[in-house]
Every structure is written in C-alpha cells, then in structure tokens.
Amino acid sequence: MVAGELREARQIVEPITRRDPSNRNALMLLGKIHLDWPVIGRFKAWRLFRRAARISPGDPEPYYQQMLVGMRLEGDDGERMARDAIFRTWEIDPHYKDTWDVWGRLYQGQGHYRRATDILATHAGDPVLDLRRAKLLIRLEDFSGARSLLSGLLENGRQDAAVWALLAEASLLAGEVAVGIAYYQTAIETSATDSLGLLWEQISPIASLAEDSSHGSLAPANRPSFYRGFWERREPDLTAPGNERISEHFTRLRVARRAYHLRHPMSMFHRSETWRALQSWDNQLVAEIAAQLDPSPRGLVDDTETFPDTLSLPLFDARDVPETRGETRYRRFGFDGRGLLYLRFGEPSRLFTTFGTGESWVDRWFYRIGGQQVSITLAHHSGDLLLNPISRQEFENTKTLLENDDTSIDATIPMKIWVATFRSHLVGGTEVYIRTSPEGSTVALWDEDWNRLLTHEGFDLHILTATGGVRHVGVDHRSNEEMGRIRGTTRIPSFGPGRLSVSSILIGLAADSAEGRKASAKSMPVDLRFPTDSAVKLYSEIYELQADGRAAEYYVEYTFQKTDDDTYISFAFTRRTPWQETVVENMIIEPGRIPEGNYNIVLRIRDQIGNQETAISRVNVRFD
C-alpha cells in the first residue's frame, strides 16, 4: 500500500474481507487503509482492528493499531481508546514496539497506574518490566513495594542507574532522606548505565534551556559530571552536609504529581503551533478578572505598561519561550502552568483565585524573586490552567521564571564579600583571598562546569589555593535558623612565569595596616568604605619584572575614577627597586586627597627595563 493509492488498495482488499470475514491479514490491511483515509475512516479502522483482535487474540498488533487510531483521533475519546489499546497490548507483550513512549504522552491517573501495575505483575521476573513496575508503584506512593522490587533487582545483579534513581526517589518520598541521598549519589555516579533515562526524567522539568540542550548531546560517559554539576549549581546551603535541594525537588515533584498534573495532554493546543496561533482567547477578560483579584504591581520593576490591544498579545505558549520541540512544555513534562512554577520555585508567597462556571477561571500567583514581588497570571485553556501573561512585564516574568529555579531555603541575612588573588608559592597555583561579612562562613569554588574544586570553613579571612580559569564562587553563613547566601562567577588569573602581571589591590586604613600580604588583607574592610579624613594604604604585588643588573624599574599609575561622572584623580611614579620575583608595591594616600564618592581604583604597571605591556588591576571602593 503506497501513499496516494488508497482507493485502489481498498478496491482490492474489500472483496477479500467480504468473501472471508475471518481473514485476519485482510482485516488488518483494510483497517490501515481506513486509518490513512483522508478526514474520515478512523472509527471504521478501529472496528476492523477489533475484529482482527477477536480472530487472533494472542496477537498484539491489532491492539497496537487500535492505539494508533486513538492517537489519530486525538482529544479525550482518542486518548481513552489509545490507553485501553495499550493495556490490551501489554497483556500480550509489554515490550511491544513504542507503546511505552506513547503511554508517556497520555494522561495518567491513579487508576491507570494501578491497571498498568497489575498487568506488569503478571510478567514478574523480567528485569526491565520490574523496573517499570517499581516506577509505577512510586506514582501510587507504594514506596515499600517499590523498594522491595528494586532491592530484588539489585540482588539479581541488575546494576542499572535507573534502579538506584528509583530507590532514591522512593526513599526520599518515604522520609528517609539520608538513605535517599546516598542512593541518589550512587545513581549519579553510575548514570552512564541509565537504561530508561530516569535520572533526566526526574529533573528535566526544572532544567534551564542550556542544560536541556547540553543533555541532548551528552555522551553516556559524561553523564556523572553533568548531573553533579546540575545539583552543585543549585546547592542551597554550604554549611549543611549534603545538598538539601535534591530532597526538596523530590518533595515538590510528589506534590506537583498530585495537584498539578496536566489533564488534557492530547489537546491540539499542546501539539500544534498552528492551532495555538489560530485561537482567539479573550485576554482582555482575563486581564480584567486578574486585576480584580489583586491590583499590586506585576513585575520585577514598576509595571504600568500593558498592551494597548490585549487581543493582539499572543497567548503564552511554547513558542514564546525558546523551545527545542514543537509541543508545549506542559505536554513534555505532564504538568499544567501551576506545576511548572511549583517545581521550580515551590509554594507561591501569595495566590488568588476567581471561579467561573464549575471550575477556576483565573489564578494569580506571586513569588518573591530577588527581594521583589513578581506576579504570574494563569487561565483555563483546553481544560487546564495554563500560563497567560496579561502585560509585557508579566510576559518577561514568565519567561524568566521558566528559565530559572530556586530553593525554598530563604537567605535573609545580608552579606558582603570581596575576592583578591595573588601568586601562590605552589607552581601554577593562585592564592585566593576571600573576606565576608558576617564572619564565620563556608566558601566553595567550582570550575566552569560546576565540578567542585574545594570547600573551606572559617572565620574572618579565607585563604584558598586554586588554579586559574573561570570559577563559580559560593559563600554561605548560618546563624541559628537564618542564613546568608552569595553566588557569583569570577575569573581567577594564572600568574605564570615569563609574563608581567600584577595581583589584586588590597586597601586598608594606614593606621591599621601592617607589612605583608596577609596583614594587609586583614586590614581591608569587607564593605570597602573609608573615611575621607583618614589615610589609606594600598598593597599589591608585581610579578616577573625584568632586571637591569640586580635592579628592577617600573612605571606605576593609580587612577581613582569616579563611577558616577568622568572626573578622576591620578598618581604616577617611576620606581627603581632591588629585583625580586615578587616586588611589593605600596602607596599611602594622605587624608583629604580623595573627595567623597564611589571610585574604581585602577593600577597600571609598565616594566621599563623589559618594555612589557601594562599589567592592570582594579578595585571598587567608597570614600565617605
């Protein structure tokens, strides 16, 4: 049967079915013809496949074709037909073709989980099916049954990361956090063997677009590093053992599955960009109802702008936030708009709901992001509550929230930090000085891919040794039940041999400054504020100056550039000093020489003997 020859094929096959109504092959072929027939023929195809199934009850293919009819019919009826056909197919052969992939695209309630679990129980002993059954038992919250099944797989030698991932999920949701985290770490380390892609399935709803793209091209051997980095960048509390964000995520996942599951994934809205573009949702009405719920600002900044014609505002869908697939992220992950937000940010700080005919019509969810309140509007479309921004600012808020996620562990203690770098006595190393406020903190350094390089606990001043490159920096402070948190990225220089370079600038009150790097660092206040009526001392180190005999000569210039205008103050000298691998550069600024204001201090060094290019260092300070 070739496309375009359906009529001819039908004329050949129909007489055969009339002569021999029990001809299974003819019924199947005629059913496929009707399935492909333009516009009509779906129910006729289904009836033909049902007849074929009665003739050969041990053959899964007629039921598989019934599944395809349901998927082609779409909507609630098609979904029900497809799901029933999948169950009948599994009763015969639960490995049949792509039935599990199709199952994942359908709505699944508790009754459906139970039916699937019962079917798989009749095939007990098959390791792949036992693994799938354990996953279904977790959805039914039978954590004990799931763990018993998974432990049996391990005892029988099934060394698969999917086993450890499900053991972790079952244990975490059962409240055994330490055990669950240990299982999860094993799952990460063995993730190259993840046969069902469960590790990614568990976390993909909160992944960023960059993470989603990276995972799509990930070689199995690189999975452990990827998953470690995924959670390291989300580490909420360096002062605590383990990563609490992992257990928090699975707790949110349990709630989202219960309360915010997408109920109509087969709706055309989720599968067709053309269909979405043709819809004429009344955004004006949604906006008016939402305004009645709460008139507060809707965005990260003052939001007085709305679209002059709200009907011209496209309904939020997968096209509005960059996606790698045509279907909506609702259908990809199986959650409505509330579920997507809840998985990423947890409970909203406030929410308001108004009711229409029989169901909620508009919700407004509020989150505090970066210390400011953000509102998101959701409205019912295609039977589910979906994100529906009603202003340009809400549109931007929605995109931002769907690209990020955050812990519910609040960091309420304000923190300040400075970072300075110097050449280490270890070859190729860099000493990193970090000072924080309040005192008593835990510091972590990660490489560019979020592999953790080191963790350091201490008071006052942290002194770490690292290699150069882009580094992520985390500093956490805890006081009783409150904590402070800082995350940032910096480039740590490599002060290698043979190249003129200069360290960071340390600056402190001259009266408090002592000789040497460490003493100067301890005198440098964490807020970098200095009174104008006091002398300050600047300390830095110059590396790899050239020698003229036993002496070095260099040009040094300090520029105090005001940050809010073009004014600046400059001090410049030529210095000659006994040559050393490290030459210390000190300067004292007398009281009153720097007027009040915020300044970038820029230090420029030029080697006069070696005629090398200028080395530059900068620091931002304030004089009051």
Side-chain angles (χ1 to χ4, degrees):
M1 183 175 66
V2 181
E5 300 179 356
L6 295 177
R7 186 178 301 278
E8 292 81 354
R10 182 174 172 180
Q11 290 173 349
I12 295 172
V13 176
E14 280 185 335
I16 298 175
T17 60
R18 284 194 293 269
R19 289 194 305 269
D20 184 4
S22 62
N23 189 321
R24 179 263 189 200
N25 293 334
L27 291 171
M28 291 292 293
L29 183 56
L30 185 58
K32 292 178 182 179
I33 292 171
H34 280 286
L35 181 58
D36 288 339
W37 202 270
V39 184
I40 61 173
R42 309 289 186 269
F43 285 102
K44 177 67 173 178
W46 185 82
R47 287 192 292 270
L48 288 164
F49 293 138
R50 185 177 60 176
R51 286 172 57 189
R54 289 172 178 167
I55 294 168
S56 52
D59 183 1
E61 182 63 18
Y63 297 113
Y64 180 81
Q65 292 297 326
Q66 288 180 39
M67 178 200 77
L68 295 181
V69 172
M71 297 299 289
R72 193 76 64 86
L73 280 171
E74 305 167 345
D76 291 346
D77 288 339
E79 185 176 31
R80 176 183 52 77
M81 292 169 64
R83 188 187 301 108
D84 289 345
I86 287 174
F87 289 147
R88 296 301 302 273
T89 304
W90 286 348
E91 288 172 352
I92 301 168
D93 182 359
H95 292 289
Y96 200 68
K97 293 186 177 179
D98 61 345
T99 49
W100 284 101
D101 292 333
V102 177
W103 160 264
R105 299 199 294 271
L106 304 176
Y107 170 74
Q108 301 164 12
Q110 294 292 294
H112 306 133
Y113 293 140
R114 281 191 289 271
R115 173 83 182 275
T117 302
D118 291 343
I119 292 172
L120 294 185
T122 65
H123 300 274
D126 183 311
V128 174
L129 299 181
D130 284 347
L131 196 56
R132 294 190 183 280
R133 180 153 56 104
K135 178 181 173 182
L136 293 170
L137 289 171
I138 291 173
R139 298 294 177 89
L140 289 167
E141 302 198 354
D142 182 359
F143 306 127
S144 176
R147 286 193 290 181
S148 176
L149 197 56
L150 293 165
S151 296
L153 286 171
L154 290 177
E155 290 172 2
N156 290 324
R158 182 74 179 186
Q159 294 298 318
D160 186 329
V163 178
W164 295 107
L166 290 176
L167 272 172
E169 183 174 351
S171 299
L172 288 167
L173 297 184
E176 297 180 15
V177 176
V179 173
I181 292 295
Y183 284 145
Y184 194 74
Q185 296 301 332
T186 303
I188 287 176
E189 296 309 314
T190 60
S191 54
T193 65
D194 186 2
S195 62
L196 298 183
L198 275 171
L199 276 162
W200 179 241
E201 181 183 317
Q202 289 169 332
I203 63 174
S204 57
I206 66 169
S208 68
L209 292 175
E211 289 168 333
D212 186 65
S213 177
S214 295
H215 184 269
S217 58
L218 199 64
N222 295 331
R223 289 175 188 167
S225 177
F226 174 86
Y227 289 118
R228 283 195 297 267
F230 185 95
W231 289 113
E232 286 287 343
R233 66 174 60 93
R234 291 168 171 81
E235 169 64 76
D237 186 359
L238 296 167
T239 69
N243 188 331
E244 294 172 277
R245 183 71 178 88
I246 297 173
S247 58
E248 180 182 52
H249 170 70
F250 282 99
T251 300
R252 288 178 181 176
L253 193 59
R254 180 182 189 180
V255 173
R257 285 170 177 164
R258 285 176 174 175
Y260 307 129
H261 203 292
L262 188 68
R263 295 186 177 278
H264 300 280
M266 289 288 286
S267 163
M268 284 288 290
F269 174 87
H270 298 296
R271 295 178 292 106
S272 170
E273 293 186 30
T274 302
W275 178 268
R276 293 193 292 274
L278 292 173
Q279 301 311 295
S280 300
W281 306 115
D282 194 345
N283 285 309
Q284 182 63 53
L285 176 60
V286 174
E288 290 173 358
I289 296 174
Q292 295 172 9
L293 290 176
D294 187 81
S296 61
R298 303 188 184 100
L300 294 166
V301 296
D302 289 339
D303 179 32
T304 57
E305 176 191 23
T306 56
F307 285 82
D309 175 9
T310 53
L311 289 179
S312 68
L313 170 65
L315 177 68
F316 178 85
D317 59 50
R319 297 167 304 154
D320 303 316
V321 173
E323 287 274 16
T324 57
R325 303 169 179 84
E327 64 183 357
T328 64
R329 61 181 64 210
Y330 308 108
R331 190 180 189 216
R332 285 175 61 197
F333 303 128
F335 299 102
D336 65 14
R338 298 169 301 176
L340 297 181
L341 294 177
Y342 182 84
L343 283 170
R344 290 179 176 271
F345 292 93
E347 291 287 348
S349 57
R350 291 192 298 160
L351 65 88
F352 295 90
T353 302
T354 186
F355 291 89
T357 305
E359 62 179 4
S360 169
W361 169 245
V362 173
D363 271 21
R364 297 275 312 278
W365 281 34
F366 294 79
Y367 285 101
R368 294 200 66 81
I369 306 295
Q372 299 190 59
Q373 182 169 266
V374 179
S375 75
I376 302 294
T377 300
L378 304 99
H380 268 276
H381 299 296
S382 299
D384 284 291
L385 201 59
L386 307 179
L387 298 156
N388 194 143
I390 59 175
S391 72
R392 191 178 301 276
Q393 184 59 55
E394 276 206 0
F395 183 76
E396 295 303 320
N397 294 344
T398 303
K399 291 196 294 183
T400 298
L401 289 177
L402 289 182
E403 175 63 9
N404 298 280
D405 65 283
D406 201 6
T407 178
S408 299
I409 302 173
D410 290 331
T412 57
I413 300 176
M415 293 190 69
K416 295 182 179 179
I417 179 177
W418 57 251
V419 179
T421 54
F422 303 86
R423 177 186 278 184
S424 169
H425 67 281
L426 299 176
V427 177
T430 299
E431 279 202 356
V432 182
Y433 282 56
I434 298 176
R435 192 169 188 184
T436 66
S437 174
E439 295 180 351
S441 56
T442 302
V443 173
L445 281 182
W446 297 269
D447 68 12
E448 194 168 6
D449 296 322
W450 288 93
N451 296 300
R452 191 179 300 202
L453 303 175
L454 55 88
T455 304
H456 184 267
E457 297 181 19
F459 293 85
D460 190 24
L461 186 66
H462 297 270
I463 304 176
L464 318 170
T465 300
T467 55
V470 174
R471 298 290 178 257
H472 303 289
V473 182
V475 183
D476 287 352
H477 166 83
R478 181 168 285 282
S479 177
N480 297 322
E481 297 302 314
E482 291 188 289
M483 73 170 298
R485 181 188 305 121
I486 291 177
R487 296 293 183 272
T489 302
T490 188
R491 179 174 288 278
I492 295 177
S494 293
F495 301 107
R499 181 176 57 86
L500 177 67
S501 55
V502 62
S503 72
S504 297
I505 303 169
L506 300 176
I507 177 170
L509 293 175
D512 298 335
S513 296
E515 295 299 323
R517 180 197 298 178
K518 188 172 182 180
S520 298
K522 286 190 172 182
S523 71
M524 183 167 166
V526 71
D527 60 1
L528 300 179
R529 298 177 74 104
F530 303 92
T532 57
D533 59 355
S534 298
V536 296
K537 180 179 179 181
L538 285 74
Y539 173 97
S540 59
E541 297 174 0
I542 309 168
Y543 310 114
E544 299 297 323
L545 285 166
Q546 297 297 305
D548 179 7
R550 299 184 62 82
E553 186 175 308
Y554 61 94
Y555 171 82
V556 56
E557 179 183 21
Y558 294 90
T559 302
F560 289 70
Q561 175 70 59
K562 216 166 187 182
T563 59
D564 54 0
D565 59 37
D566 294 332
T567 62
Y568 66 91
I569 300 169
S570 183
F571 305 92
F573 316 94
T574 297
R575 301 193 194 275
R576 191 170 180 85
T577 182
W579 180 88
Q580 299 181 67
E581 288 186 357
T582 298
V583 172
V584 173
E585 166 59 32
N586 285 312
M587 180 175 146
I588 294 179
I589 306 293
E590 298 297 332
R593 297 296 300 273
I594 308 297
E596 181 179 320
N598 289 314
Y599 292 87
N600 282 319
I601 303 177
V602 180
L603 169 62
R604 292 181 173 86
I605 302 292
R606 182 175 181 81
D607 186 347
Q608 299 291 75
I609 296 173
N611 194 29
Q612 294 190 58
E613 293 297 323
T614 304
I616 299 175
S617 186
R618 293 180 174 87
V619 66
N620 182 267
V621 301
R622 176 167 182 81
F623 287 88
D624 295 312

